[in-house]
Amino acid sequence: HIKFRSSLIVESVNIKARWVLPLYQDPLQNGYIHVRDGLIQGIYSSPVADVPILDLGNCCLSSTFVNAH
């Protein structure tokens, strides 16, 4: 699991972004990252049911450890 630092006071949240760029999947337009107890549980094309959504709007989420050269 990947540790996720957040000041959100929820146990579980779906983070939505216009683009989500996972390392081992194709890019997702209007993708969701499900985070529970500070850990990324999965990356999905639709939100996990009965979990609040934090919509980041028109942005792109990607891995922080990308070798771009």
Side-chain angles (χ1 to χ4, degrees):
H1 291 281
I2 300 169
K3 197 68 175 162
F4 181 82
R5 293 176 184 244
S6 175
S7 60
L8 297 171
I9 305 174
V10 293
E11 292 179 6
S12 189
V13 64
N14 290 303
I15 301 173
K16 180 182 179 188
R18 170 94 178 188
W19 287 99
V20 177
L21 307 178
L23 287 177
Y24 304 107
Q25 292 175 238
D26 291 334
L28 291 173
Q29 186 172 14
N30 299 313
Y32 295 84
I33 299 175
H34 178 225
V35 178
R36 185 176 64 226
D37 296 326
L39 297 174
I40 294 175
Q41 301 298 308
I43 300 172
Y44 308 105
S45 58
S46 59
V48 173
D50 300 322
V51 175
I53 297 173
L54 173 61
D55 190 342
L56 299 180
N58 191 22
C59 72
C60 177
L61 293 178
S62 67
S63 172
T64 58
F65 300 105
V66 174
N67 185 349
H69 67 279

